[in-house]
Amino acid sequence: MIFIFAQPPLLPSIKALSAECGLYHADLDAEKVKHLLMCRAEGQLAGIVGMEVLGDAALLRPPAVAPAFRGRGIGSLLLVRIERFAALQGARHFYLAAGGESGAFFAARGYRALAAEEVPPEVHANEFFRHHLAQGAACLVKPLQARKVPAARHEAGPVV
């Protein structure tokens, strides 16, 4: 598996995967696609996840995984990577509007429900967020911490 940020020429494929997974994508354009992280596996687009940093808050565009690649942990891997990236960009909280079965997915990964009134205005004003909220999705939030992954260390001694 390869994880790379998307580029504008891939917009049609990204929109098609979003549609296939039931995610709103009408607002995706060449600028927003640059904030989408893709997973490529077996030469195909296996999954995507995105974000928009809005001050110290960030909006999560939930993972979308192609049906042929589900059950391999790709959604979780994408989520961990985009959370780290958002935190390194200065975001302190990740917000999203999610419903149905996805609520359990996010709850298991540290997201908690909150009232719509508690969502920052800049997140609430986002078209993607408003669309999913209007579809009956719940508001979720997760605090983020910027953590650098330590570099591998070489220690003297026998290799085991």
Side-chain angles (χ1 to χ4, degrees):
M1 282 185 266
I2 299 170
F3 295 90
I4 55 173
F5 279 94
Q7 295 298 315
L10 297 171
L11 189 56
S13 298
I14 290 167
K15 283 187 168 193
L17 178 57
S18 295
E20 184 176 19
C21 294
L23 294 176
Y24 182 74
H25 57 278
D27 67 324
L28 280 178
D29 59 23
E31 190 57 36
K32 286 184 181 177
V33 80
K34 294 176 188 174
H35 300 283
L36 296 176
L37 181 63
M38 302 180 349
C39 175
R40 294 191 60 80
E42 301 170 16
Q44 300 176 50
L45 177 59
I48 56 170
V49 68
M51 62 155 221
E52 292 181 48
V53 176
L54 308 164
D56 67 349
L59 171 68
L60 173 65
R61 295 182 82 100
V65 178
F69 294 97
R70 291 184 184 155
R72 300 183 192 185
I74 291 172
S76 295
L77 291 170
L78 284 164
L79 185 60
V80 167
R81 283 167 171 77
I82 205 74
E83 286 173 348
R84 286 184 187 151
F85 184 69
L88 291 171
Q89 298 301 307
R92 298 292 165 246
H93 291 89
F94 233 150
Y95 294 88
L96 77 146
E101 297 172 14
S102 66
F105 173 85
F106 291 108
R109 287 151 184 84
Y111 287 80
R112 66 171 178 80
L114 77 159
E117 305 82 50
E118 296 179 66
V119 175
E122 59 272 19
V123 174
H124 221 294
N126 182 279
E127 181 180 344
F128 180 85
F129 185 83
R130 282 192 330 265
H131 174 81
H132 285 280
L133 209 55
Q135 301 299 311
C139 299
L140 302 174
V141 65
K142 180 178 182 179
L144 299 175
Q145 293 180 342
R147 292 177 295 167
K148 292 186 178 180
V149 178
R153 292 185 290 157
H154 177 72
E155 297 180 15
V159 177
V160 285

